[in-house]
Amino acid sequence: GETQRVIGEAGCGFVSEIGNADELAEVIIEFCDITDEQQNKMRHNAVKYGEIHFCKRKLFDYIEDELYLKCDEKKSFVHNHV
């Protein structure tokens, strides 16, 4: 689902199917087998993705913009149908 999409998009880790313990064990082993440099790259990617997509300021700006847009749409609708 969404977690798999985000991890894949960010390039920051491995995923396994929910409830599949064997697959989880495989990705843990896979993670342990990669180099420190690769693990650091994943960490860097995770932080960068989080800063871009989950920054509070950016999220609040987006919510504020959406609220203004919805209010403007509602005002326009009411004005055109009264």
Side-chain angles (χ1 to χ4, degrees):
E2 186 67 10
T3 301
Q4 184 175 5
R5 183 192 67 76
V6 168
I7 290 171
E9 194 174 283
C12 66
F14 301 100
V15 295
S16 64
E17 184 180 330
I18 294 173
N20 187 333
D22 291 334
E23 191 175 349
L24 176 60
E26 289 174 17
V27 297
I28 291 171
I29 291 167
E30 188 176 352
F31 181 77
C32 291
D33 286 344
I34 64 174
T35 66
D36 289 345
E37 184 178 325
Q38 291 169 310
Q39 289 180 8
N40 288 333
K41 178 70 173 165
M42 285 183 180
R43 277 188 211 89
H44 171 78
N45 291 349
V47 170
K48 186 175 180 178
Y49 188 91
E51 288 172 346
I52 292 169
H53 297 280
F54 301 112
C55 170
K56 283 184 194 178
R57 181 76 256 145
K58 188 172 186 170
L59 178 61
F60 288 139
D61 287 346
Y62 172 78
I63 291 170
E64 184 178 40
D65 290 346
E66 287 298 308
L67 286 172
Y68 282 124
L69 179 65
K70 295 297 180 195
C71 288
D72 288 344
E73 288 173 2
K74 186 174 182 178
K75 287 177 187 175
S76 177
F77 178 81
V78 169
H79 178 73
N80 292 327
H81 291 89
V82 173

